Amino acid sequence: VQAGGEGDVRLCVSVSSARGLAGMATITFGAAGREGQARGRFLLEHAAPFSAFLTDSFGRQHNYLRISLTEKCNLRCQYCMPEEGVQLTPKSELLTAQEIISLARLFVKEGVEKIRLTGGEPLIRPDVVDIVGQLYKLEGLKTIAVTTNGINLARLLPRLKEAGLNAINISLDTLVPAKFEFIVRRKGFHKVMEGIHKATELGYRPVKVNCVVMRGFNEDELLGFVDFTKDLPVDVRFIEYMPFDGNRWNFKKMVSYKEMLDTIKQRWPELEKLPCEASSTAKSYKVPHFQGQISFITSMSEHFCGSCNRLRITADGNLKVCLFGNSEVSLRDHLRSGASEEELVQIIGAAVGRKKKQHAGMFNISQMKNRPMILIGCCVFQKDPSSTFDTKCLEASPVGQVSVDCQSKEASPGSEFFTRDSRSSTKVPRASDNLTHTDEEGRATMVDVGGKPDSRRSAVAGAVVRLGEKAFGMVRQNQVKKGDVLAVAQIAGIQGAKLTSQLIPLCHNIPLNHVEVSLSLDEARYAVVIRSSCQTWGRTGVEMEALTAASLAALTVYDMCKAVTHDIVIEEVKLLSKTGGQRGDFSRV
């Protein structure tokens, strides 16, 4: 017997039987009822008996099943797969629609009340509407949900809703269109936004938007995402960055729930916490008078393993009892070998019984080995943390010309940026007769710039990519399948400039004040002409940063066009000008 709020008394009864069922019934007696004020009936909360086969050794009842429908996806996200790619399972080894329904029916019979369809991208599976319709017929199943990248959502949602889909999660990690296209190597930002609005129009409440927050990538968009909930009934779910095989997890790149919450409260101190269910993975908040809300999925800083109620079936039919674990049981093989329903239940029960208390029993999950997330059915953003790409620089930049102004150090008061023109002349010190990056014995060494004075430095570099008539025409008409070649190459050039010290061994790590990359089309040569410029205030020049930016932009143009032709020539990679430093200015005539 428990004392409840406002004088309520709750009677909790544990239920079990020889068949292996376990459950809990709760009856609430209101204080007003005891005082003789008839309420018509008592509020009775009664949970149906629950299968012991879906109850683990810690008493957690698993009534939520995630089923991956496919390993394929219609995006090519840089963060979703290992750099070397993934080997897709042959179609014959994937679950058929009938096998999916058979397993779903078994789980629902044992107590599963919610099924979420995932991928890959579930909405590219041709029979997805059919599968939703068949799931809807399962007696006892209360919720059919889908997690999608949103590209096909607006087109399919009316049919999915009619078939019985009643919950939606959409993955979206940036509100900046250029950044979106850079991440996924495809166009589609506006399709995702169209899908979100279509879901709200059709009455889904709330539409959940999944956003994985990564330091140095999109933590600067926290306030923008909160503002996104002002006029839309969406639940933006900020997810702590988690490790998966192939994403090079780095603790320093994780932004914790408390840090995110502090940032948001500085802007909206009136932010209020919302109540949540015991098994919820989310801590929910709302800005008063906003239509939507925000939530935090604290997988790393405050794990919710103690109330975990989730199981997963991969597209090839393996049962995963923990997202973080690599232990799997093939239900597909047992199903195809003719295992009876009772045998399948025993196999499932044994796997659930082995589930660890938390994070698959690992103390250091950053070292875990697991499937890449594209193959788990948990395709939310996980960026390669080795990148220092500062995407704050993209926030206000039009796609046509990406200009970056990331001030990292103030110039000294009164200092001026020296520009060379026809009326000025500067005495240029004689070039060195020796290589500066080798010691007396000829071994590589980094130049010590500690004794040099700080000064304003700039450099401009260029490159030309000859594409040929066909590829050039496709770039000009923006018809290349990988996306907008010029926009992606611009962003790659900017990222290259910022990563120069990691790519060129003896370069210093320079805080860049400004980076600009522009690309233009030269129809006479069927070429893309690239121009990059960098500025800093420091003790060494930025020639290498400008050259790296031009080179990376050129290589990106090649990469995006090589499916059309390999007869592409990158030429004229060169320094065009530079200012500042002891050796004076340089300008190529």
Side-chain angles (χ1 to χ4, degrees):
V1 179
Q2 300 173 338
E6 298 182 359
D8 289 355
V9 175
R10 295 187 180 91
L11 176 64
C12 301
V13 183
S14 178
V15 182
S16 64
S17 75
R19 182 176 177 270
L21 298 177
M24 181 75 71
T26 303
I27 305 173
T28 302
F29 300 94
R34 296 197 309 277
E35 295 171 0
Q37 298 178 8
R39 304 170 73 179
R41 60 186 176 85
F42 288 115
L43 176 64
L44 180 64
E45 300 174 359
H46 180 72
F50 195 86
S51 170
F53 296 106
L54 297 186
T55 304
D56 65 19
S57 59
F58 301 95
R60 294 173 295 198
Q61 299 176 347
H62 298 78
N63 62 353
Y64 179 7
L65 178 66
R66 299 173 64 103
I67 302 176
S68 173
L69 297 186
T70 179
E71 296 174 348
K72 294 182 179 179
C73 186
N74 50 355
L75 299 180
R76 291 293 179 270
C77 300
Q78 299 186 38
Y79 48 75
C80 197
M81 303 185 206
E83 288 182 0
E84 65 274 15
V86 296
Q87 185 173 352
L88 296 176
T89 304
K91 185 177 180 181
S92 61
E93 297 179 19
L94 299 177
L95 292 178
T96 66
Q98 190 51 52
E99 288 170 335
I100 290 171
I101 299 304
S102 296
L103 289 174
R105 182 181 295 111
L106 180 61
F107 276 90
V108 171
K109 187 182 295 185
E110 293 299 316
V112 164
E113 297 177 331
K114 178 178 180 178
I115 290 179
R116 177 174 298 279
L117 303 177
T118 66
E121 170 49 42
L123 298 191
I124 67 172
R125 181 157 172 154
D127 54 359
V128 61
V129 176
D130 238 7
I131 291 173
V132 171
Q134 292 185 60
L135 290 175
Y136 185 71
K137 297 175 184 177
L138 299 180
E139 186 176 347
L141 184 60
K142 297 179 180 178
T143 303
I144 304 172
V146 68
T147 295
T148 172
N149 61 31
I151 297 295
N152 292 339
L153 187 60
R155 176 172 59 85
L156 289 176
L157 192 53
R159 291 169 55 206
L160 288 167
K161 181 178 174 63
E162 186 178 352
L165 185 73
N166 48 23
I168 300 172
N169 285 48
I170 302 169
S171 299
L172 181 65
D173 305 298
T174 177
L175 296 174
V176 181
K179 193 192 297 186
F180 177 91
E181 189 166 325
F182 173 77
I183 294 167
V184 306
R185 299 192 183 104
R186 293 288 188 275
K187 298 179 180 180
F189 176 80
H190 299 293
K191 287 186 177 181
V192 178
M193 297 302 293
E194 182 185 357
I196 292 173
H197 286 281
K198 174 64 72 174
T200 62
E201 289 170 13
L202 291 179
Y204 286 92
R205 296 290 186 277
V207 176
K208 294 181 179 180
V209 177
N210 293 342
C211 174
V212 176
V213 181
M214 275 285 299
R215 192 179 310 282
F217 179 78
N218 63 349
E219 87 277 15
D220 60 310
E221 294 191 59
L222 283 170
L223 302 184
F225 271 106
V226 176
D227 197 56
F228 188 57
T229 69
K230 183 176 183 179
D231 301 314
L232 283 175
V234 297
D235 179 4
V236 175
R237 295 149 58 87
F238 296 118
I239 303 172
E240 289 180 342
Y241 168 57
M242 297 178 290
F244 286 89
D245 202 24
N247 76 348
R248 301 177 183 175
W249 190 80
N250 185 330
F251 179 78
K252 294 179 181 178
K253 295 296 178 179
M254 188 195 83
V255 183
S256 72
Y257 144 65
K258 289 185 177 179
E259 182 179 343
M260 289 187 268
L261 186 61
D262 287 344
T263 299
I264 294 168
K265 280 189 171 180
Q266 288 178 23
R267 171 65 178 82
W268 288 283
E270 70 275 24
L271 189 72
E272 56 187 37
K273 197 174 191 311
L274 301 176
C276 62
E277 298 176 2
S279 62
S280 175
T281 61
K283 296 175 172 63
S284 299
Y285 292 79
K286 183 181 179 68
V287 178
H289 311 302
F290 277 25
Q291 285 195 42
Q293 64 184 56
I294 61 171
S295 301
F296 300 92
I297 312 297
T298 61
S299 312
M300 302 302 296
S301 64
E302 296 181 18
H303 69 77
F304 33 79
C305 300
S307 59
C308 180
N309 65 340
R310 292 156 176 75
L311 300 172
R312 287 171 169 79
I313 297 178
T314 62
D316 56 354
N318 283 2
L319 175 66
K320 287 180 70 72
V321 297
C322 178
L323 172 63
F324 290 96
N326 60 1
S327 177
E328 300 179 356
V329 177
S330 178
L331 300 182
R332 176 204 64 204
D333 290 351
H334 289 290
L335 196 62
R336 293 182 180 180
S337 65
S340 67
E341 184 175 300
E342 186 62 31
E343 289 171 330
L344 285 170
V345 168
Q346 293 287 345
I347 292 165
I348 293 166
V352 172
R354 292 191 295 268
K355 184 169 181 176
K356 305 299 182 182
K357 185 176 181 180
Q358 68 185 56
H359 287 167
M362 288 178 286
F363 293 100
N364 184 5
I365 63 173
S366 66
Q367 302 300 321
M368 75 174 188
K369 292 295 292 179
N370 200 348
R371 291 186 181 216
M373 59 187 165
I374 187 75
L375 304 183
I376 293 178
C378 181
C379 193
V380 292
F381 174 80
Q382 310 288 342
K383 182 177 174 286
D384 178 355
S386 64
S387 169
T388 56
F389 174 38
D390 190 347
T391 49
K392 296 182 182 72
C393 306
L394 294 178
E395 199 163 275
S397 299
V399 174
Q401 170 124 354
V402 177
S403 178
V404 181
D405 192 1
C406 296
Q407 189 73 26
S408 57
K409 185 173 183 179
E410 294 292 335
S412 299
S415 64
E416 296 180 359
F417 181 66
F418 176 76
T419 303
R420 189 173 191 170
D421 59 33
S422 59
R423 295 166 297 175
S424 65
S425 62
T426 302
K427 184 178 180 180
V428 181
R430 185 173 62 87
S432 172
D433 293 327
N434 301 312
L435 295 174
T436 58
H437 287 75
T438 57
D439 60 18
E440 294 178 355
E441 298 179 5
R443 293 175 300 192
T445 183
M446 180 178 277
V447 175
D448 183 359
V449 298
K452 293 184 178 182
D454 286 341
S455 63
R456 179 77 73 176
R457 316 285 189 118
S458 72
V460 179
V464 175
V465 186
R466 291 182 181 266
L467 296 173
E469 184 175 0
K470 181 180 179 181
F472 180 85
M474 294 179 70
V475 171
R476 182 174 56 187
Q477 298 297 323
N478 200 10
Q479 294 177 339
V480 177
K481 288 184 178 180
K482 285 190 174 183
D484 189 329
V485 174
L486 302 184
V488 176
Q490 284 176 321
I491 299 169
I494 294 166
Q495 184 177 13
K498 297 167 73 64
L499 292 174
T500 299
S501 64
Q502 297 180 37
L503 299 172
I504 312 297
L506 302 181
C507 281
H508 294 82
N509 186 9
I510 299 175
L512 295 173
N513 295 346
H514 185 80
V515 179
E516 185 173 309
V517 178
S518 63
L519 294 90
S520 59
L521 298 177
D522 183 347
E523 190 164 4
R525 293 188 288 175
Y526 298 127
V528 177
V529 179
I530 300 165
R531 183 183 176 90
S532 63
S533 64
C534 297
Q535 295 178 18
T536 190
W537 175 266
R539 298 176 179 180
T540 188
V542 288
E543 299 99 305
M544 292 306 301
E545 283 70 19
L547 285 164
T548 303
S551 301
L552 263 291
L555 289 170
T556 302
V557 172
Y558 181 95
D559 176 61
M560 297 188 72
C561 296
K562 69 180 186 292
V564 180
T565 177
H566 285 94
D567 189 14
I568 300 173
V569 178
I570 298 175
E571 59 186 15
E572 297 184 42
V573 179
K574 57 190 177 184
L575 180 68
L576 299 177
S577 65
K578 75 100 174 174
T579 64
Q582 294 178 355
R583 302 193 184 282
D585 298 346
F586 166 83
S587 180
R588 190 177 296 276
V589 179

